[in-house]
Amino acid sequence: MAKLETVFGLHAVQALLKSAPQRVNEVLVLQGRHDQRLQKVLAAAASADIKVRQASRKELDKLVDGNHQGVVAMSFPGELHDEKFLYQMLEGLKQDPFLLVLDGVTDPHNLGACLRTAEAAGVHAVIAPKDNSASLTPTARKVSCGAAEVLPYIPVTNLARCLRKLQELGVWLIGTAGEAPQSVYQQDFKGPMALVMGAEGPGMRRLTRECCDGLVNIPMAGEVSSLNVSVATGVCLFEAVRQRNA
């Protein structure tokens, strides 16, 4: 039998119960908690006929490293997405691909925040290198507020090769860099495209940058030289959304 994983936090557990109830073995809730926010989780578990068990705070604290908000789902691992899945998904899309590429984002909090923003923006998938990147840890899932349960996250062995394949499929790659000649507000984001974000500090790796069809910057008016990667991702994605919905 596959080893059970923990998914914790109200939004993450509720999203899992909605999108993949078959993965949930049982739900643990804090003893004595009966508030309205928890009722939604309990109702979702009941409709999927999933066992709910009360647990002490000590037991929940031992299960997870983070703020569980009094609810933890013990779940079977979800589907592992790979490059084959990515290309099949792109083939089946009825609209222009809208992708996010994260090159070297190693903090699970930043990964979770990027996933949350990407899902809200309507991104079809998030791509990242397998090595030197954050994985979908329980913390990343919690911070994503349920986005990790519904938005495909695709780790790839060779990011540069994957990017070149995307270009062959007609996807335009727009990277972000502080020294880029034009701003995000001057770039055309319509059509099949992928936004490529680098890690805070070093930014994109050289091979990743060389794959990009264009580079943009986020205009900065203050003294701070850069934004947190999840904030920068939000700025760029929602400028793309504005243009694509115009």
Side-chain angles (χ1 to χ4, degrees):
M1 181 181 279
K3 184 181 177 184
L4 292 175
E5 300 176 336
T6 57
V7 175
F8 62 92
L10 288 160
H11 290 294
V13 172
Q14 198 172 335
L16 179 60
L17 288 168
K18 181 180 178 183
S19 63
Q22 73 281 358
R23 282 180 49 203
V24 183
N25 186 54
E26 68 172 342
V27 175
L28 280 60
V29 298
L30 182 64
Q31 286 171 344
R33 180 165 182 180
H34 304 291
D35 58 274
Q36 195 171 357
R37 294 174 74 197
L38 183 63
Q39 294 309 310
K40 292 181 181 178
V41 173
L42 297 178
S47 68
D49 200 24
I50 291 165
K51 176 186 171 186
V52 175
R53 177 166 67 84
Q54 295 214 331
S56 67
R57 183 173 295 279
K58 186 177 180 182
E59 182 181 356
L60 295 180
D61 289 345
K62 271 179 74 175
L63 282 171
V64 303
D65 179 21
N67 179 15
H68 49 67
Q69 297 177 305
V71 58
V72 177
M74 304 303 297
S75 69
F76 298 101
E79 178 186 1
L80 290 175
H81 299 307
D82 56 14
E83 285 180 70
K84 184 180 177 184
F85 170 90
L86 172 65
Y87 304 136
Q88 287 175 343
M89 183 204 73
L90 292 175
E91 204 175 295
L93 282 179
K94 298 290 191 286
Q95 67 249 73
D96 288 333
F98 185 25
L99 305 170
L100 173 64
V101 179
L102 300 175
D103 185 24
V105 174
T106 56
D107 184 339
H109 291 88
N110 279 335
L111 171 60
C114 287
L115 289 171
R116 181 179 182 179
T117 301
E119 200 278 331
V123 164
H124 296 117
V126 177
I127 303 161
K130 266 182 187 166
D131 297 327
N132 300 315
S133 289
S135 58
L136 275 184
T137 63
T139 296
R141 291 180 184 277
K142 162 74 165 48
V143 175
S144 80
C145 285
E149 313 311 328
V150 293
L151 176 64
Y153 177 66
I154 303 170
V156 299
T157 306
N158 186 320
L159 182 61
R161 184 182 64 198
C162 177
L163 294 178
R164 287 192 287 268
K165 174 69 173 176
L166 290 175
Q167 286 174 316
E168 289 172 16
L169 294 172
V171 177
W172 195 256
L173 306 178
I174 306 300
T176 51
E179 71 283 3
Q182 69 174 355
S183 88
V184 63
Y185 305 111
Q186 297 169 309
Q187 175 65 45
D188 184 354
F189 283 108
K190 296 186 285 293
M193 58 86 55
L195 174 69
V196 186
M197 304 295 300
E200 288 179 60
M204 290 179 292
R205 291 173 297 169
R206 179 182 59 82
L207 282 176
T208 305
R209 179 188 289 251
E210 288 173 1
C211 288
C212 291
D213 297 298
L215 296 175
V216 297
N217 68 69
I218 298 175
M220 307 287 287
E223 295 297 319
V224 177
S225 61
S226 66
L227 296 172
N228 172 282
V229 65
S230 63
V231 175
T233 297
V235 170
C236 297
L237 283 181
F238 277 93
E239 171 57 20
V241 169
R242 185 190 68 79
Q243 293 185 24
R244 294 167 80 85
N245 290 343

